[in-house]
Amino acid sequence: MQAETNDLQYADVNNDIVRSIVETGPRYYVALGIAGGVALLCFFFPWFYQLYFGIGAAGLNHPGVWGTYLASFIFWIGLSHSGTLLSCVLHLTNSSWRKAMYRSAEAMTLFSLMVAATFVMVHVGRPWFIHWALPYANQMEMWPNFRSPLLFDVMAIATYLTGSSIFIYMGSIPDFAAVRDRTTGWRNTMYTLLSLGWRGTDREWHRLHWAYTFLAVLIIPLAVSVHSIVSWDFAMSLVPALHQTIFAPYFVVGAIYSGTAGIVTVMFVLRRYMNFEQYITKVHFDNLGKLLLLLSLIWTYINMVELFTAWYSDTSTEHEALSYKLFGYYAWLYWEMIAFCAVAPLLCISGRFRTSMVPMLILSIAINIGMYTERFLIVGTSLSRQYLPDSWGVYVPSLVEMSIILGSFALFTTLFLIFVKIFPSVSIYEVKETMDTPTVTSNAEPIAPPEGSPA
Amino acid sequence: MPKIERREFLKLVGAGSVGVGAGFMLRETIKHPPEYLIPHVVAPEDFSTGIATWYNTVCSMCSAGCGISVRTREGRAKKIEGNPNHPVSQGKLCGLGQSGLQVLYNPDRLTGPLQRMSARGGETFEQITWNEGLSRVADRLDLLRAAGRGNRICLLSQGVGGHLAQLFELFMAELGSERLLHYDYDHPHTLYAANRQFFGEEHLPYYDLKNTRYLLSFGADYLGNWISPVHHSLGFGHSRQGRPDIRGRFVQIEPRMSMSGAAADEWIAAKPGTEGVLALGLAHHLITQGYYQGADLDAWRQALRDYTTTQVAEQTGVATTTITRLANTFARSQSSLAIGGGIAANHSNGVDTLVAVNALNYLVGNLGKEGGLLFNPEPAGSVSHPRQASFRTMLKLAKDAREGNIEVLILNGTNPAFTMPAAAGFTEALSEIPLIVSLSSFMDETTALADIILPSHTYLESWGDDFPEPGVGFPTGAVSQPVVSPLYNTRATGDIILTLAQHSGLSDAIPWNSMEDCLKDGWREIYERADEETRTESFEVFWRSMLKAGVWGEKSQRDQTFTLAEGVIDNIGVAPPEFSGSPDDYPFVLHPYISNSFHDGRGANLPWMQELPDTMTSVVYGSWVELNPVTAEGLGLKEGDLVDIESPHGRVRAPVYVYPAIMPDVVAMPIGQGHSTYGRYAKDRGVNPIEILSAQMEPHTGSLASSATRVKIVATGKRVELIKTGGTSRDLGREIVQRFDPTAQSKTGGAHSTQLNSIPITTVTT
Amino acid sequence: MSIFERFTEGWKKYRKPGYYREFDYHWAMTIDLDKCTGCEACVTACKAENNLPIVGEEEFAKGREVQWIRIERYWEGEYPNVKLGFIPMLCQHCDAAPCETVCPVSATYHNQDGLNTQIYNRCIGTRSCAVYCPFEVRYFNFNDHHWDSPLDQQLNPDVTVREKGVMEKCTFCIQRIRQAKDDAKDDGRRRVRDGEVQPACVQSCPSNALVFGDRKDPDSQVAKSMKDPRAYRVLEELNTDPSVVYLKKVDAKG
């Protein structure tokens, strides 16, 4: 990594990154316009239609009362996973290659969580009463049901959202200050407020590092618990094929897996369209490729365990659910998922593949399509084959649902596009830390080459 | 921190208020008014439920004559339940009966008199006043009566009993017309005829299902729609599990498993039309095994000589062991009972079949015995049967119409344009009649041909009475009273007839002003018939108490002895059934069956019935054709494949339903759907299998042999998704419907089940 | 009463083992499958009593019908030795109901009568109760429902009409139970007598296959019939402790 950034000077870093915030070309506005427009047209418009008409606008039925909205919810939660989690883990292990990409990864976490939270609103029948799921003091002394895994979910996500927001914000303070110093006008005012009077003293750096590490340690278990809890929404039901102990690790691995793939996609876009070639390098893709390979193997293993448990249970209910998954109405989706998430990532064995940008982009998108499918299958196929065969049925998503799924990506993109114009999307100070410079005075973090660092 | 100025503060406050207001408005618009109703799940402490008023009256959804209680609140009918006092329904009611509310509140009811504006076939009607309509009809009737051509007036009604039937009689007699006909598609002509042949009287006996130990049903879907299904269900339940240590057993013999077949302990498929042969085979076994020792044993032996077990097994396709087993159990279980009807009677040999079934009861002495077949006394009032038109009579009517012998046709409720096969040409014949008047409440297929429509009240708005046929062993009757005030500008059928009579100057013979008066006069006679000592002090008291109870009964027992009608034994015998269409061209026998939801099609405009899953298939909203799984596989057909069902007389198109319990060479279709009009819920939905039936008749009665048409199945290559509630109707070893084997039980000492059964019973602590 | 006293009292009350099983009444139903003919009179009665919507052909085809009680059918064997078993399926009012634990807003809970209740105006429509219910007897209102005038005149004023976005299910005709309790109170009685209250389905059943009553009363018809050796509960292995008990269909050989 050092090799590639050798010719960069501190000033270049500052200039490059501040430029990405201040200078806005027409391409950006076109992109924002398209993303915002699609979000409005494909997400909000169908959603309002659904609010007016009722959940019947979706293809839901009996017994398929849960559908793509919930699948999307899990998907976005999952996508959120790698961002902050990965950033924390890498921070604690001092992996210097993390530094160019973690900001955008954390932003991804934040926005996927927001989109996921929106999907909760889309999912429920009466979103105008959604606040009832929150434990707020009220005159009727009506409290939510603390036994409900759904309520655990609300809590877990709220905590995760709060934690991630603080984490990304805290890590950005020095950068806000850097941008503050180079901007004028309303931007200056804004960054003055955001940087909380950061001056860059040793004391400040010290505190920042301490707090940052503390938060990183805190967030790792939180990230694991969030998806475990999401999995309990399913695993705590009696539905055959959902009622499984493997679900918590399954969901966590799946989440990190899809999140990592998501980071690859985002990094590709940033690199290509935000002119960050010098910061986001092949090394990043190489490392993430290895991570993807590892995760795909774990994921495949868990999937096989799931199949085995269903077969080994030797009950009619589990067998029917299993054979429906493998050979039923949605079997093609299952095999598509296997192809995308279990087979395709094996390509990452090859180093050449890992360092080729476009193939990695395609793989990362394929993995996320596969992971979306997985979430859909968990909801869709299991509900189709429950205990009473005479109540079996098939659920097929409607156009409104398809449109909202599509729109959610546009919504995510819109949020991300707004983000890159506010936050320095690559961490200024941490990139600098990786650069060859005459060492500094303070007792701030030493720049010793981190152990196991790929560079 | 920048200083906020007053202006800006006000702006912010203003914007905030608007925002909050808009938020609330949005919330209010999303909300729906029903939310404010009080849910009883957790009702407020000071809330008490409203008081309902119950009216007892009589159900008119089929001819069984169940007594009903209608719950009303604030002058609106809310629910129909069985009248607990009524001996037929005993507080219970079938789904169709309960849907009577949707007859009353049907959005497609005719709301006032109409007059045709276009040629027949079109549906352009114009509203007229009652006076215009009535005087137009009355003038025509007057003219014909004055000219001595009263016989050119025909009154075609649905089956009605009681004083309305008497009023019809009187009215038509005064007009000088013989042509008073009742027409119901499913009227059991063959059963009446068989009883006349066997017992010498044309009445329906009482089948004592309640006390029977063994029931053989030859094609009669007694739990579904045969004669009096609610009463039969009551008996069935009691027979099964209502008596300590005795459990009645039920055997159903029919080519397609009906609801009764599913409820039976054993379902046996005999070849279509050979049920009677099977009955005689059983009879033969009874004779040869010495179960029957009557004086006429030799005559029976002689008559049944051609019905040996092997011969019968060959003809019917039922195994010899089954025949002997059935016969032995039938003879040994006292009391046992054999009933016949439905599909078994809808063949060219229908009456013979039912005579054979009666013979079975005779041979084991089930007649006039508890748990067997009991004879009913004469009904206390008019019943519909003597006026019921058979298919042959209807053909005659059509012929008369074509020849111009009918000038006025008054229709009351019946819908022959729907329930007559197209081959009969009935609809075409109707168009030859110069004036058709319909008193129907709905625009059904026949009413759509009418020139003047004088819509009548529904049964929940009008006065009437009914004397159930078959009775329940003693004379009963029930008065039906209006439970709500009329919804629309309609009039009661009786009142329309009375007004017509007044217009025509028949007041001397028909003196009443309203149907209520007519009823009261009629019931006064019944009241006065009773002993002075036992009856209440005045007719008014009697009348009021009867309206309250909803039913009246007379203490009298019928002598149950009887003599066999002459020549029965010599004439006994069941000819092979005749089918229309050759087996080579038309390999399947079509079995159109009465749907439990729609009856003969009259229930198709009731949304509850449209949405009620069919008992056997769970299909809703449409028609289907049932095929045996093997047959379907042979034809390469799956559920939902559209096929043409083609008879020599036409074809209909319906999706396939693969039905596990139907003979391979029989295809079955439900009757009831396929209306071309009859309101939004019925119109253009499914097909009507009656259309393609051949005009084959049972020779004794002239009733339609509706199961005697052969068809072929032609795949169309198209598919539709059958709308049904059922997913996979196999329980895959999940033990959802568990079965209990009492014989296995006694071996293990009954411990098995009690161990499994861990249901805690706690005692009350007060 | 001081806060401390209140606390200790509550503590004692709720520390008693099985306190949650102490009901005022314990309404239960038995369904004799040997008597059930599958005629669906109960289904119609329920529609009439509880204002169940007429969803229409299109919605029905999508699988959005509402039937608080429905008949399930299970075929056994192949032609000609084929049998069909009917089983009425309705909310089993489980005493250990999975649906009650999952609702995040406690819109469904167990009340003092041992009933599993659904509070429509608390429901936010997560539909998780329907997923958690193994009997699949919970029905969701996917849309607002419409009754073509004047069909709406039939609606029972004692039962609310549910709006879009809420879950609904069998209540054991709680409005009738309420009425019976009020009547008993007017009579100066403490308890409702056996047979005084019947849900619409039980009331209508032509073969008397359904029996309803208070199983805390050992003399009630329902308590007696629960002791029948044929008694079993559907999906007993899931241990949800249903209040609906089925009596096995008798399958006599020969």
Side-chain angles (χ1 to χ4, degrees), chain B residues 40 247 613 615 685 736 753, chain C residues 34 40 56-57 73 158 229 232:
Chain B
H40 274 260
R247 177 180 179 274
T615 296
R685 181 162 279 147
I736 293 158
S753 176
Chain C
D34 204 31
E40 302 196 308
E57 185 174 4
R73 29 191 89 59
D158 290 338
Y232 79 103

Side-chain angles (χ1 to χ4, degrees), chain C residues 20 24 26 36 41 48 69 81 111 120 237:
Chain C
Y20 45 83
D24 297 345
H26 200 170
C36 176
I69 182 171
N81 298 314
N111 79 356
Y120 308 126
E237 68 273 20

Side-chain angles (χ1 to χ4, degrees), chain B residues 35 166 225 264 296 354 424 628 667 681 698 758-759:
Chain B
E35 214 181 326
Q166 281 181 17
N225 47 54
D296 44 6
L354 298 182
N628 181 289
V667 298
Y681 299 106
E698 196 285 324
S758 58
I759 299 150

